[in-house]
Amino acid sequence: MSINQVNEDWVLGLKGTLDPANEKCVATNVAAPVVIDLSGQATRDYRNSSTGHGKSMSLGEAWKYANKSYQFSADMTGTVNSMDGPWGSSVSTSRNYNIQKIK
């Protein structure tokens, strides 16, 4: 999967297979693999972004970080199994950076 910001726009690519036979895959009412091959771009219908700082604790270790997140609408084309797009969608992406161990 790729979500890349190019200037003010977002370019999306989603390719993969979700296989219910894989022990790391959890599936309900799905017996065969689902093959996804989509690409697209953000639209101007909806856009939101936020920045902030956070702290997290895991296995007795504490971390602090900065965060940026984006949400936007997108138009995509491609296939999901034998179904052809176009597909309307919404996308959410979040990135933590400046991660520092504090404990």
Side-chain angles (χ1 to χ4, degrees):
M1 178 169 82
S2 64
I3 302 175
N4 299 307
Q5 188 171 18
V6 180
N7 297 324
E8 294 290 318
D9 263 335
W10 290 88
V11 178
L12 311 164
L14 179 59
K15 295 179 187 242
T17 301
L18 304 173
D19 187 353
N22 185 320
E23 63 189 35
K24 294 181 181 179
C25 183
V26 177
T28 304
N29 298 325
V30 178
V34 176
V35 179
I36 301 167
D37 186 357
L38 300 171
S39 62
Q41 282 191 265
T43 66
R44 302 272 179 203
D45 297 337
Y46 171 78
R47 288 188 180 217
N48 185 43
S49 65
S50 62
T51 59
H53 293 81
K55 291 182 182 176
S56 65
M57 186 167 214
S58 177
L59 302 172
E61 295 181 335
W63 304 84
K64 66 180 183 176
Y65 55 87
N67 177 274
K68 286 186 179 184
S69 64
Y70 302 91
Q71 301 83 34
F72 51 88
S73 56
D75 284 338
M76 302 185 81
T77 59
T79 59
V80 176
N81 279 353
S82 61
M83 298 179 294
D84 290 328
W87 310 84
S89 182
S90 63
V91 177
S92 178
T93 180
S94 180
R95 181 175 72 93
N96 293 341
Y97 60 98
N98 291 342
I99 301 169
Q100 298 174 18
K101 187 174 180 178
I102 56 177
K103 182 178 175 185

